[in-house]
């Protein structure tokens, strides 16, 4: 169904068309071409110091990150439970087992305390985790510094799933550059898009060289096709990179706009009781890819689902927060450390329309519709 006001819709107001035409004129549309190099260079410069490899999705970037860290059959990998399935699926592709950890209430991301409990508990049964997957959900930076300390203490690498957090920062440092390997997504509804795409980030030149090699079918540098190991067709194509580069040029403006939308929601929704927002910590800066609210049904006089349905009828798209992976039927058998934090967030939360071209009047309309429904239920 096409919504009048979609959740997150891309706008192409920069050089997208110009660069796409140039890519087509160059004849290079596949995994070789000038825009791929430009995109990688510009991205690395933007996030400072890290090297970037452009790939064809965030999921393939996560998969490749796990391959590069040597994850294989029988291994265990700790993963934030409150996330999209793509954070954990590659663990299963590799025959390894995800160990899910609950969130904390400040940022809604992985709880450092529960993470340490999980590590100690797995070590006690002789299964030291091979990696930690942390996520910056909806663009909100996780407690990454605490998690990196735990990573160092136990010598377990961190895969930083910053798929939703391109442009987010902690202490001025870009999300995606803290972990051993960082991952971005440029899928259609993310803060910037290349149609479909992703990136793998690392400061370790060896990891980057291996990522380039493995993402291009592990072809040896010989006049004939020679392969010493199994590779993947995971590189970004030149046409996607053309669109991605044009979007990347606008990243700062797009983040500013999303932050303004978030601020406007806070202001307009301040008239409601029982509505709370995801909050930045003192040193963190969210790209506010999606504005999300928690609705305390008792205080608000309305539930998240009631709001979802009533807005849907008016052609306005909202979405539940990610359903925690430990509650997904497909991951039912997997170990979980924590309580009901992410479950409660899922039960009361809602993602609100957050496209950059959203008008203030549309936000007022959303608030008006909710207000009308609340007053109805009092009579
Ligand atoms: C979008 C997303 C991914 C996957 O990225 P794709 O480019 O869609 O494959 C991974 N993790 C999170 C948290 C995401 O939101």
């Amino acid at each position: 169904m096409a919504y009048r006001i979609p959740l997150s819709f891309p706008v192409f107001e920069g050089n997208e068309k110009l660069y796409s035409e140039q890519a087509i004129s160059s004849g290079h549309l596949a995994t070789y071409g000038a825009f791929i190099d430009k995109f990688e260079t510009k991205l690395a410069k933007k996030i400072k110091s890290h090297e970037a490899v452009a790939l064809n999705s965030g999921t393939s970037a996560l998969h490749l990150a796990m391959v590069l860290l040597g994850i294989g059959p029988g291994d265990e990998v700790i993963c934030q439970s409150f996330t999209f399935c793509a954070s954990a699926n590659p663990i299963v592709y590799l025959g390894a087992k995800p160990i899910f950890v609950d969130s904390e209430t400040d940022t809604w991301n992985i709880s450092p305390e529960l993470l340490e409990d999980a590590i100690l508990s797995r070590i006690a049964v002789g299964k030291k985790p091979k990696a930690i997957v942390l996520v910056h959900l909806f663009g909100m930076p996780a407690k990454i510094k605490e998690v990196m300390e735990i990573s160092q203490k136990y010598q377990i690498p961190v895969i930083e799933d910053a798929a939703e957090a391109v442009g987010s920062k902690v202490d001025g440092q870009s999300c995606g550059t803290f972990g051993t390997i960082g991952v971005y997504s440029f899928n259609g509804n993310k803060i910037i898009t290349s149609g479909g795409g992703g990136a793998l980030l690392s400061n370790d030149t060896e990891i980057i060289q291996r990522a380039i090699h493995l993402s291009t079918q592990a072809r040896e540098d010989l006049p004939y096709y020679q392969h010493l190991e199994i590779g993947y067709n995971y590189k970004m194509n030149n046409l996607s990179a053309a669109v991605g580069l044009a979007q990347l040029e606008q990243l700062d403006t797009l983040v500013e706009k999303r932050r303004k939308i978030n601020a406007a929601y806070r202001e307009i929704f301040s008239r409601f009781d029982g509505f709370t927002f995801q909050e930045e910590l003192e040193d963190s800066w969210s790209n506010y890819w999606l504005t999300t609210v928690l609705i305390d049904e008792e205080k608000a006089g309305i539930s998240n689902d009631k709001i979802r349905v009533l807005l849907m009828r008016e052609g306005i798209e909202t979405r539940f927060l990610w359903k925690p992976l430990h509650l997904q039927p497909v991951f039912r058998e997997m170990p979980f450390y924590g309580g009901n934090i992410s479950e409660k967030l899922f039960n009361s939360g809602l993602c609100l329309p957050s496209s950059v071209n959203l008008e203030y009047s549309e936000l007022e309309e959303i608030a008006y519709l909710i207000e009308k429904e609340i007053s109805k239920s009092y009579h």
Side-chain angles (χ1 to χ4, degrees), residues 13-35:
E13 291 173 352
N15 291 318
E16 290 85 357
K17 282 184 189 152
L18 176 71
Y19 293 170
S20 304
E21 275 167 18
Q22 288 174 357
I24 291 167
S25 302
S26 79
H28 294 297
L29 295 187
T31 56
Y32 167 85
F35 282 109

Side-chain angles (χ1 to χ4, degrees), residues 161-174:
D161 181 350
E164 302 176 3
V166 180
S168 297
K169 288 173 183 172
V170 175
D171 259 350
Q173 184 180 338
S174 294

Side-chain angles (χ1 to χ4, degrees), residues 222-258:
L222 287 166
Y224 48 89
Y225 283 82
Q226 171 114 320
H227 305 276
L228 303 176
E229 57 190 325
I230 298 295
Y232 304 86
N233 181 9
Y234 274 180
K235 199 75 178 130
M236 182 182 278
N237 71 65
N238 200 40
L239 189 53
S240 283
V243 177
L245 178 67
Q247 288 265 292
L248 187 56
E249 290 170 350
Q250 303 162 75
L251 178 62
D252 294 343
T253 328
L254 293 172
V255 171
E256 274 310 320
K257 285 185 178 167
R258 299 254 180 179

Side-chain angles (χ1 to χ4, degrees), residues 138-214:
F138 310 115
M140 181 61 70
K143 293 188 174 170
I144 183 75
K145 287 191 208 153
E146 286 90 328
V147 170
M148 290 316 293
E149 271 169 32
I150 294 168
S151 152
Q152 262 132 41
K153 183 168 166 192
Y154 296 97
Q155 291 293 301
I156 303 172
V158 168
I159 297 171
E160 192 185 352
D161 181 350
E164 302 176 3
V166 180
S168 297
K169 288 173 183 172
V170 175
D171 259 350
Q173 184 180 338
S174 294
C175 287
T177 68
F178 289 87
T180 316
I181 299 179
V183 167
Y184 286 158
S185 166
F186 309 111
N187 211 342
N189 75 351
K190 297 281 157 78
I191 194 150
I192 57 171
T193 182
S194 58
L200 184 145
L201 320 163
S202 177
N203 260 342
D204 184 331
T205 313
E206 202 178 310
I207 285 181
I208 292 293
Q209 289 312 316
R210 294 263 312 137
I212 293 167
H213 183 62
L214 288 179

Side-chain angles (χ1 to χ4, degrees), residues 55-62 82-88 133-138 161-165 183-190 195-199 289 322:
L55 299 172
N56 58 15
S57 77
T59 310
S60 46
L62 284 158
F82 195 37
T83 183
F84 179 49
C85 66
S87 308
V133 180
L134 159 146
V135 191
H136 305 289
L137 233 43
F138 310 115
D161 181 350
E164 302 176 3
V183 167
Y184 286 158
S185 166
F186 309 111
N187 211 342
N189 75 351
K190 297 281 157 78
W289 167 55
W322 301 119

Side-chain angles (χ1 to χ4, degrees), residues 192-345:
I192 57 171
T193 182
S194 58
L200 184 145
L201 320 163
S202 177
N203 260 342
D204 184 331
T205 313
E206 202 178 310
I207 285 181
I208 292 293
Q209 289 312 316
R210 294 263 312 137
I212 293 167
H213 183 62
L214 288 179
S215 64
T216 49
Q217 305 283 29
R219 185 182 167 188
E220 293 300 311
D221 191 13
L222 287 166
Y224 48 89
Y225 283 82
Q226 171 114 320
H227 305 276
L228 303 176
E229 57 190 325
I230 298 295
Y232 304 86
N233 181 9
Y234 274 180
K235 199 75 178 130
M236 182 182 278
N237 71 65
N238 200 40
L239 189 53
S240 283
V243 177
L245 178 67
Q247 288 265 292
L248 187 56
E249 290 170 350
Q250 303 162 75
L251 178 62
D252 294 343
T253 328
L254 293 172
V255 171
E256 274 310 320
K257 285 185 178 167
R258 299 254 180 179
R259 288 182 63 87
K260 278 209 179 112
I261 289 167
N262 185 269
Y265 270 120
R266 283 168 198 267
E267 184 210 317
I268 294 176
F269 279 21
S270 63
R271 67 175 101 147
F272 299 129
D273 290 326
F275 281 54
T276 49
F277 291 87
Q278 199 178 12
E279 298 293 346
E280 287 169 325
L281 298 176
E282 210 168 285
D283 57 357
S284 77
W285 166 271
S286 173
N287 66 7
Y288 283 119
W289 167 55
L290 294 183
T291 287
T292 52
V293 274
L294 297 181
I295 298 132
D296 181 330
E297 190 176 346
E298 227 144 84
K299 283 193 197 142
I302 194 163
S303 70
N304 59 344
D305 195 42
K306 212 160 178 193
I307 294 174
R308 183 186 66 83
V309 172
L310 101 96
L311 293 178
M312 185 176 63
R313 288 206 193 102
E314 301 291 332
I316 302 166
E317 185 182 19
T318 63
R319 209 177 276 173
F320 286 115
L321 309 187
W322 301 119
K323 179 172 177 177
L325 296 184
H326 73 277
L327 300 176
Q328 294 288 354
V330 73
F331 291 123
R332 204 175 34 224
E333 309 291 327
M334 303 303 160
F336 169 67
Y337 292 85
N340 61 359
I341 301 285
S342 56
E343 189 173 352
K344 272 163 97 176
L345 293 167

